[in-house]
Amino acid sequence: MTGQARPVAPPGTRALLALAAIAVAFAAADTYVVVLALPDMMGSAGIPIDQLQRAAPIVSSFLLGYVAMLPLIGRIADLHGRVPVLVLALAVFAVGSLVTAMAYDLPSMVVGRFFQGVGGGALVPATLALVADLYPADRRGVPLGVVSAVQEAGSVLGPLLGAAVLVLSDWRAIFALNLAVACVLAAALRVLATRRPQLLDDRARALLAERRARSDSFDLLGAALLLLTLVAAGLVVLRPAAVMRDLVWGEMFVPFVPDGRWLSPVGSVAMFAALLFVLRLLTARRPLFDVRPWLRAARDADLVGSAFLAVALGGVILAFATADPKVQLFAEQGEWYLLGAALATVCLVVHLRRAHDPLIPRGTFSALPASGALVVSFLVGAALIAAVVDIPLFARTTVHSDSQLMAGLVLVRFLIALPVGAVAGGWLTRWWGSGPTTALGMALAAGAFAAMSRWGLDALEQWHSSVSLVVCGLGFGLALAPVNAAVLAFTAPSVHGLSSALVVVARMVGMLVGVSALTAVGLHRYYAVQADFPAVREVCDGRSRCAEFTLLLKEAGIAQETTVFAGAALVAALAALVALWVFRTATPSQVRAQAGLGLPHG
């Protein structure tokens, strides 16, 4: 488990990867489940349904936690072990789910979603690095494909799961279910790791031995403080009517200042108990949860470099993710966010050159397939976003103008094909290598986008539209596993968590930049078509609106979306060509030769 290839995976490998894959799928589902729950969440936070832009932080905070913290967590997984990070990620995801389920206003929802993003994002690089630990380089393709498949399957299951829960209960039940599943998965991983220590690397085994040495006593005081914190916080959030109406106990909820729910007697108890619990964790010889090893791991992972990178990524996310892709390129303060991201990037580069143990060790991506994987992943994301965003927009413009849900369901044909392609891509990578497999996938996606660029008003009512959507999904699926396989084969085992995290980050940043660039091209086309329209009163015989003019507007919208599809086809074709070039040495024979030498593949 120190980086040498294993000819045969140890017993329990499939069970461990199955648990990790389920966790990845469930976290991925949570990315999309909020789409259906968002209107109800807005109502609970007191946000009118016609002010959707005010609820944007509920979505962007999850994305911010998911992306900005990935490199740090990936590096911690390298320094502290994969399975402990998986358990920690599930714990953070559970805390975020609890906070979101109990949220009563926008700030509390944003905080809860941020922690959900941190926990959900951390699962991906740790799982990918775990595959690299458990399988030799020439046998990773299928396991990586399966992990990619379940991750993408979550995007299909998320809306369906959300719809099913909302039929039976309200939006809070979705996050309560997240809490229960995360706790069960974390407990199952701990039990499996305890019973099968051979599945752990040296760092994780040392942590397990340390925990066992401290398990002969139970921190009653820490448990009491945690219980008091949860009970008091629950009362602040839920505000039970029976207690509130009591003449004596109701006084405990009266705030010291207006609109200060937490600045009340019961809120003060919750905050004070939480502070004492944190101090207990940091100072007790045998605390209820020992967080000190994680603090040391975060320090060893280069907190300064991680902070610079998080600010840089956060600026990009806030600039693009909070904009309306139909009408905006950036958020209202997007230019300032990007300026901050640029300054943080300069600081990061300087820091990485001067730090003794930088976040990204020198030479990590010196091999062309490793650095090239980041470029290919960026291009894949830039093309992928056109399908995720603009296919529903096209449906809304044409056949489903009165239903956002039905427009979104058009994407299901694409999303179902994606995990199928991911498994096939993993299998083909083992025999063809990363270059041809990625190129085939992106060529299929480029061809499908080219066909979509010729869609008309009734395209979604024709059989060929389903073929294009399925082929596009298969193409993107084929490209997922080979990119991950290349970066894992051509980086040292000691940085597999970090390198896997940066591949995911590159794809997410590509999606954000792609949606802005393609939207700019599409809007230019939209306004060019509109400029050729006759005056509305000429079309409508003096009236301000008529069916004929509405049809003209639809045609302009179709021109905008098909222009985006054409741009995505070019980006996908470029990704195919770049993959053939940068992965030309990532052939199965060369990967096996490097794995046999036990070299860091640099």
Side-chain angles (χ1 to χ4, degrees):
M1 298 294 292
T2 58
Q4 300 294 332
R6 290 180 181 272
V8 178
T13 295
R14 291 185 178 180
L16 178 59
L17 288 180
L19 289 173
I22 292 172
V24 168
F26 211 79
D30 200 70
T31 308
Y32 296 88
V33 75
V34 75
V35 174
L36 295 180
L38 192 58
D40 292 339
M41 296 175 71
M42 291 172 59
S44 297
I47 301 175
I49 194 64
D50 59 348
Q51 298 183 20
L52 187 62
Q53 71 279 0
R54 288 179 56 191
I58 298 176
V59 178
S60 59
S61 61
F62 182 93
L63 186 60
L64 183 64
Y66 192 100
V67 176
M69 302 302 294
L70 262 182
L72 173 63
I73 297 172
R75 188 64 182 137
I76 291 176
D78 291 328
L79 299 173
H80 212 57
R82 323 299 187 195
V83 176
V85 167
L86 287 173
V87 175
L88 177 66
L90 286 167
V92 174
F93 184 80
V95 170
S97 300
L98 177 63
V99 173
T100 308
M102 299 178 65
Y104 62 91
D105 60 2
L106 183 61
S108 55
M109 291 179 185
V110 168
V111 170
R113 291 290 290 168
F114 175 81
F115 280 109
Q116 280 191 298
V118 172
L123 293 167
V124 179
T127 301
L128 294 175
L130 184 64
V131 171
D133 286 350
L134 296 173
Y135 289 90
D138 60 330
R139 294 181 56 226
R140 292 173 188 159
V142 174
L144 289 174
V146 171
V147 173
S148 299
V150 297
Q151 183 181 8
E152 300 306 326
S155 62
V156 181
L157 297 176
L160 299 178
L161 176 64
V165 173
L166 290 175
V167 169
L168 302 174
S169 185
D170 67 357
W171 66 268
R172 298 181 190 275
I174 295 174
F175 299 101
L177 179 61
N178 286 343
L179 171 63
V181 172
C183 290
V184 170
L185 289 173
L189 280 170
R190 288 192 63 172
V191 170
L192 182 60
T194 302
R195 294 181 178 178
R196 301 275 189 178
Q198 68 271 25
L199 294 170
L200 307 178
D201 55 24
D202 296 337
R203 297 150 297 188
R205 279 197 292 269
L207 185 65
L208 178 62
E210 183 180 355
R211 189 175 71 240
R212 283 176 172 173
R214 295 183 177 183
S215 63
D216 56 347
S217 63
F218 184 75
D219 185 13
L220 289 175
L221 178 57
L225 289 172
L226 177 60
L227 180 61
L228 179 59
T229 300
L230 293 176
V231 171
L235 290 173
V236 171
V237 172
L238 300 177
R239 299 169 72 95
V243 180
M244 294 280 291
R245 288 194 297 265
D246 188 89
L247 294 178
V248 177
W249 292 104
E251 294 291 330
M252 296 291 293
F253 294 87
V254 178
F256 304 129
V257 295
D259 299 325
R261 182 180 294 201
W262 289 94
L263 296 178
S264 62
V266 67
S268 300
V269 170
M271 291 188 291
F272 187 64
L275 176 62
L276 291 179
F277 178 66
V278 171
L279 292 175
R280 179 70 180 175
L281 293 180
L282 296 175
T283 59
R285 182 169 177 267
R286 292 174 177 172
L288 187 64
F289 308 111
D290 197 353
V291 299
R292 287 166 295 196
W294 296 108
L295 297 177
R296 291 194 298 268
R299 180 195 61 202
D300 295 340
D302 184 12
L303 276 178
V304 175
S306 300
F308 284 140
L309 184 54
V311 171
L313 294 173
V316 173
I317 292 166
L318 293 175
F320 293 110
T322 57
D324 185 345
K326 292 181 291 186
V327 297
Q328 291 178 299
L329 305 184
F330 307 107
E332 293 182 0
Q333 304 295 327
E335 293 84 356
W336 292 104
Y337 292 140
L338 291 179
L339 177 61
L343 293 175
T345 301
V346 172
C347 293
L348 174 64
V349 171
V350 173
H351 172 79
L352 292 178
R353 290 180 175 272
R354 296 181 176 180
H356 183 265
D357 293 313
L359 172 69
I360 306 174
R362 298 172 184 85
T364 296
F365 295 99
S366 58
L368 180 61
S371 55
L374 301 182
V375 178
V376 174
S377 186
F378 176 89
L379 293 173
V380 169
L384 177 62
I385 194 63
V388 174
V389 172
D390 286 274
I391 288 173
L393 288 180
F394 183 91
R396 190 72 184 269
T397 302
T398 56
V399 297
H400 295 302
S401 58
D402 57 345
S403 175
Q404 180 66 42
L405 176 60
M406 293 303 297
L409 290 177
V410 171
L411 191 62
V412 170
R413 284 169 274 181
F414 168 88
L415 294 174
I416 289 177
L418 199 60
V420 176
V423 176
W427 184 82
L428 289 175
T429 300
R430 181 175 179 181
W431 302 105
W432 291 3
S434 293
T437 306
T438 305
L440 172 63
M442 296 315 296
L444 289 175
F449 276 132
M452 293 180 200
S453 69
R454 302 175 64 86
W455 279 359
L457 185 63
D458 62 344
L460 291 178
E461 298 175 349
Q462 306 296 322
W463 64 270
H464 58 75
S465 65
S466 295
V467 174
S468 297
L469 291 171
V470 170
V471 170
C472 193
L474 285 172
F476 279 108
L478 285 172
L480 296 177
V483 175
N484 290 323
V487 79
L488 290 171
F490 287 85
T491 54
S494 59
V495 292
H496 276 166
L498 172 68
S499 57
S500 298
L502 291 177
V503 168
V504 176
V505 167
R507 185 166 70 247
M508 299 298 290
V509 172
M511 293 176 71
L512 294 170
V513 175
V515 73
S516 178
L518 294 174
T519 296
V521 174
L523 285 175
H524 183 270
R525 176 62 177 161
Y526 176 82
Y527 291 127
V529 172
Q530 240 189 4
D532 295 333
F533 285 177
V536 60
R537 294 190 179 276
E538 294 180 14
V539 177
C540 300
D541 296 328
R543 291 171 293 166
S544 60
R545 182 58 64 96
C546 61
E548 291 80 1
F549 193 78
T550 300
L551 180 61
L552 288 177
L553 291 178
K554 282 191 174 184
E555 290 176 352
I558 291 172
Q560 174 184 350
E561 301 306 333
T562 53
T563 301
V564 170
F565 294 147
L570 293 176
V571 176
L574 178 61
L577 294 175
V578 172
L580 283 175
W581 170 254
V582 300
F583 294 153
R584 66 187 185 277
T585 60
T587 62
S589 58
Q590 289 178 315
V591 168
R592 282 194 296 268
Q594 291 190 358
L597 293 173
L599 297 177
H601 316 304

